[in-house]
């Protein structure tokens, strides 16, 4: 059951990362249009700065969980690789616990901000776009990250401690 949840969550992380990529393409196109309009046509676009700035918040978090699926976070890998057995499992569990706690804090903050912007009806200053549209994807992404980090934490906790001969062996894998 747990492995099905992990695989389903990993598929969802890919979709979130792709959504982040689409937003980056929109930003890139809009910024290029703004530069063209300003320097070629001599008429700056008043909306490009605010629009692309507002899109930065969801983009910042949409790939967060996917980065965890591919182990793309900076780590001091020589320390983890030098450990074996229970010590390695403990260090991996501690690292994931920190991720879960930080993710839970930021998830709470993003959900709270999303609810408050929804109830207040706050909008951007120039475009008048409701700010909830920008908080909502970021809040979902942070919740997804926290969920996935929790699943990975549980996997590490329930994994058997087996000795490994080489550095490519992970906690829970056999020799």
């Amino acid at each position: 059951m747990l492995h099905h949840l992990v695989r389903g969550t990993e598929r969802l992380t890919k979709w979130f990362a792709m959504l982040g990529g689409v937003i980056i393409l929109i930003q890139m196109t809009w910024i290029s249009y703004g530069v063209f309009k300003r320097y070629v046509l001599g008429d700056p676009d008043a909306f490009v700065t605010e629009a692309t700035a507002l899109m930065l918040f969801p983009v910042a978090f949409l790939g967060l969980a996917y980065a965890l699926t591919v182990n793309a976070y900076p780590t001091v890998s020589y320390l983890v690789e030098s450990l074996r057995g229970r010590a390695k499992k403990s260090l991996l569990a501690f690292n994931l616990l920190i991720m879960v706690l930080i993710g839970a804090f930021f998830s709470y903050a993003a959900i709270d901000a999303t609810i408050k912007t929804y109830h207040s009806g706050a909008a951007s200053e120039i475009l008048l776009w409701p700010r909830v549209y920008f908080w909502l994807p970021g809040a979902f992404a942070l919740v997804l990250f926290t969920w996935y980090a929790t699943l990975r934490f549980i996997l590490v906790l329930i994994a058997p401690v087996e000795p490994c001969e080489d550095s490519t062996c992970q906690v829970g894998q056999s020799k």
Side-chain angles (χ1 to χ4, degrees), residues 62-85:
L62 284 169
L64 198 61
Y66 180 72
L68 184 57
T69 66
V70 294
N71 295 321
Y73 290 114
T75 60
V76 184
S77 58
Y78 74 88
L79 178 63
V80 175
E81 291 171 359
S82 68
L83 297 174
R84 298 287 178 255

Side-chain angles (χ1 to χ4, degrees), residues 2-3 6 89 150-160 171-172:
L2 184 60
H3 291 287
V6 170
K89 181 177 178 174
T150 302
L151 290 176
R152 294 271 303 260
F153 177 67
I154 293 168
L155 281 175
V156 168
L157 288 181
I158 65 172
V171 171

Side-chain angles (χ1 to χ4, degrees), residues 32-108:
S32 298
Y33 165 75
V35 169
F36 174 78
K37 194 166 180 203
R38 174 182 296 267
Y39 293 108
V40 175
L41 302 178
D43 182 29
D45 181 9
F47 305 123
V48 67
T49 302
E50 184 181 27
T52 56
L54 287 170
M55 287 187 253
L56 282 176
F57 178 75
V59 159
F61 298 109
L62 284 169
L64 198 61
Y66 180 72
L68 184 57
T69 66
V70 294
N71 295 321
Y73 290 114
T75 60
V76 184
S77 58
Y78 74 88
L79 178 63
V80 175
E81 291 171 359
S82 68
L83 297 174
R84 298 287 178 255
R86 190 170 308 281
K88 183 174 186 174
K89 181 177 178 174
S90 297
L91 183 59
L92 291 172
F94 179 69
N95 185 39
L96 285 166
L97 178 63
I98 290 172
M99 287 185 186
V100 168
L101 294 175
I102 291 172
F105 171 76
F106 282 113
S107 294
Y108 172 77

Side-chain angles (χ1 to χ4, degrees), residues 23-33 52:
I23 292 172
I24 289 172
L25 288 174
I26 292 168
Q27 287 177 301
M28 179 190 68
T29 304
W30 203 335
I31 290 169
S32 298
Y33 165 75
T52 56

Side-chain angles (χ1 to χ4, degrees), residues 1-13:
M1 174 69 181
L2 184 60
H3 291 287
H4 291 295
L5 282 173
V6 170
R7 279 196 300 275
T9 303
E10 286 175 349
R11 277 194 297 274
L12 191 57
T13 66

